[in-house]
Amino acid sequence: MPNPALYDMTLADLEALMRDWGQPAFRARQIYRQLYVNLADDPALMTDLSTRLRGRLAAETTLGGMRLVRTQEADGGTTRKALFALPDGAVVETVLMVYPDRATVCVSTQAGCAMGCIFCATGTLGLLRNLSAGEMVAQALWASRELRALQISNVELRLQKAEDDGHRIDSLPDSQFSVLNAQSRRLSNIVFMGMGEAMANYDRWWAAVQRLHDPQGFNMGARSMTVSTVGLANGIRRLAGEGLPINLAISLHAPDDALRSALLPINDRFPLAELLAATRAYTTQTGRRVSFEYVLLQGRNDHPHQALALAKLLRGHTAEGADRGVPLLCHVNLIPWNPVPGSPLGRSEHQRVAAFQQVLVDYGVACTVRVERGAEIAAACGQLAGLSVE
Ligand code: SAH
Ligand code: SF4
């Protein structure tokens, strides 16, 4: 039996372990807080435990075995990508994006992906394996630690600058300093939009959501987490019945079945009618709005007539075009395609993106264009393949 992984354990699991070890239950709570509040990544740092217990944790448990191989940064340090090696040799990537008012981590749920979407770098790998809940949790904890480290270097920078300029440190506004300010010091959002399809690894992924949400531990609000799915209708229906109101994004990318199947092979299994029926069931049951992602590929799915077809679909128009459907509670997020090496596809030009957006807006469909992050380190949407840029 390999040593148990602490990141794979709920608080109840840890309490059971402590019982086995003849320790009181509150030790489990101490360890749990060390892992998820203090962000300790080594039992040696858990200084509220006895040396003996720390030693036993080090000898008889692991955190989960993800090894940080390297980090890369872009966008002036506000985008940071980590490459992790799993114990069996597969690799996954995680991206931290720091904004003036928030910080978001994009977590991978599988090494590779089985879905084979033709525009996605991860899809070219095929599925290597599912990640465990602990391996997803470890990525969010990495991001939190990275933010903490940034904050420390930010303070150092500030001290240095204050000294250089002969100022008092508190007289310098936050905005003068690198990447962090008061709102972005703490990890504020988790998006499950990295490598893999979360809903194809549903149980482990949901266990990670629950762990990260746990108010006794990491305490990430449900509304601060988002999953993106390629459109697994069964997963969407299942999510509708879960107790935690996390956000749902759905990769749509085409307004009709022929085109959608050509871009996303999973459309043959869950065609648009079924996907939209599941989405309607979700919005009705939860009262929550969904986001539709739409990657814009030059000349493939970015014509104004396709925008119109998309608008009609989402406004609930019937095939006959009669204007009596019920609009879906949704928002569209347009994503200009990020290049994937060797792909014959092209990124839509700026004017085509703007024109596509305008058609949707004119038709009454809320629509924004996603701002790209990290393209130069292959950290943007759909570029994670774990082998980029040496
Ligand atoms: N498997 C999930 C989540 C991971 S991909 C899904 O497919 O939804 C996150 C988003 O990036 C999806 O909307 C996906 O379609 C999109 N994407 C994939 N490749 C892309 C690329 N090269 N450029 C821009 N977006 C891409
Ligand atoms: Fe998998 Fe999502 Fe990429 Fe499709 S877009 S291959 S589902 S990661």
Side-chain angles (χ1 to χ4, degrees):
M1 278 281 283
N3 285 342
L6 295 177
Y7 287 156
D8 268 321
M9 291 185 189
T10 61
L11 180 54
D13 294 336
L14 260 178
E15 282 169 352
L17 182 72
M18 288 303 108
R19 248 194 323 274
D20 282 354
W21 289 8
Q23 295 280 343
F26 73 85
R27 292 277 177 242
R29 289 194 295 278
Q30 281 178 303
I31 297 169
Y32 201 70
R33 281 188 67 80
Q34 282 289 1
L35 293 172
Y36 295 110
V37 180
N38 299 354
L39 310 176
D41 57 355
D42 184 339
L45 298 172
M46 302 182 183
T47 47
D48 54 345
L49 306 179
S50 68
T51 323
R52 246 186 102 198
L53 183 53
R54 277 183 262 162
R56 188 156 183 201
L57 283 170
E60 297 179 34
T61 68
T62 68
L63 289 178
M66 297 249 287
R67 188 170 57 79
L68 181 64
V69 178
R70 63 158 190 252
T71 56
Q72 293 169 281
E73 21 173 306
D75 307 323
T78 59
T79 303
R80 313 173 83 86
K81 180 169 87 163
L83 179 82
F84 292 99
L86 306 174
D88 51 12
V91 296
V92 292
E93 295 183 311
T94 309
V95 182
L96 170 63
M97 291 156 284
V98 183
Y99 300 90
D101 59 343
R102 67 190 194 282
T104 300
V105 66
C106 182
V107 168
S108 293
T109 57
Q110 298 180 311
C113 182
M115 300 297 152
C117 306
I118 67 165
F119 45 82
C120 172
T122 310
T124 61
L125 302 172
L127 178 63
L128 304 173
R129 80 158 162 88
N130 284 320
L131 297 192
S132 67
E135 287 162 344
M136 294 175 228
V137 164
Q139 297 173 61
L141 293 176
W142 163 78
S144 284
R145 265 185 233 111
E146 190 78 358
L147 278 170
R148 189 172 60 182
L150 276 172
Q151 190 182 335
I152 292 166
S153 59
N154 205 29
V155 169
E156 281 167 358
L157 229 148
R158 173 187 293 246
L159 279 170
Q160 188 60 51
K161 177 148 176 51
E163 207 169 90
D164 291 351
D165 298 354
H167 290 304
R168 271 162 39 97
I169 178 164
D170 56 9
S171 68
L172 295 168
D174 268 337
S175 57
Q176 269 193 276
F177 294 92
S178 65
V179 296
L180 291 188
N181 65 28
Q183 288 82 45
S184 55
R185 279 184 189 145
R186 198 178 170 270
L187 187 65
S188 38
N189 299 86
I190 299 176
V191 298
F192 295 93
M193 296 192 185
M195 297 168 77
E197 168 57 36
M199 289 187 176
N201 186 18
Y202 196 109
D203 293 338
R204 294 182 193 87
W205 162 66
W206 192 252
V209 169
Q210 288 178 307
R211 184 82 35 73
L212 293 166
H213 170 69
D214 188 352
Q216 300 199 72
F218 197 66
N219 196 21
M220 177 63 62
R223 289 177 201 281
S224 303
M225 293 191 264
T226 302
V227 65
S228 172
T229 176
V230 70
L232 302 188
N234 51 353
I236 292 171
R237 288 181 190 275
R238 189 168 164 193
L239 183 62
E242 302 284 7
L244 291 179
I246 72 161
N247 305 302
L248 173 62
I250 300 168
S251 296
L252 201 56
H253 308 330
D256 62 80
D257 277 318
L259 180 59
R260 193 163 189 271
S261 286
L263 302 175
L264 300 84
I266 193 68
N267 191 67
D268 289 338
R269 201 166 137 222
F270 297 111
L272 276 173
E274 200 172 334
L275 173 56
L276 294 179
T279 307
R280 276 189 190 278
Y282 176 92
T283 55
T284 307
Q285 195 173 334
T286 63
R288 293 197 296 273
R289 190 174 79 154
V290 298
S291 300
F292 286 111
E293 293 154 296
Y294 196 102
V295 170
L296 286 165
L297 300 159
Q298 175 102 353
R300 289 298 295 272
N301 65 354
D302 67 347
H303 293 287
H305 73 81
Q306 290 165 320
L308 186 62
L310 177 66
K312 288 184 172 174
L313 194 66
L314 301 183
R315 296 290 296 179
H317 289 201
T318 53
E320 306 80 53
D323 190 3
R324 56 187 145 82
V326 181
L328 251 167
L329 194 54
C330 72
H331 166 268
V332 172
N333 202 211
L334 299 175
I335 316 173
W337 182 67
N338 298 307
V340 170
S343 171
L345 298 166
R347 176 186 173 90
S348 298
E349 287 152 11
H350 179 71
Q351 297 98 304
R352 295 176 75 99
V353 176
F356 197 95
Q357 181 181 23
Q358 195 58 50
V359 172
L360 287 169
V361 171
D362 288 348
Y363 220 85
V365 177
C367 175
T368 48
V369 180
R370 185 174 291 173
V371 177
E372 165 188 293
R373 280 294 193 106
E376 77 259 38
I377 54 168
C381 295
Q383 292 188 316
L384 303 181
L387 20 94
S388 51
V389 202
E390 282 315 316

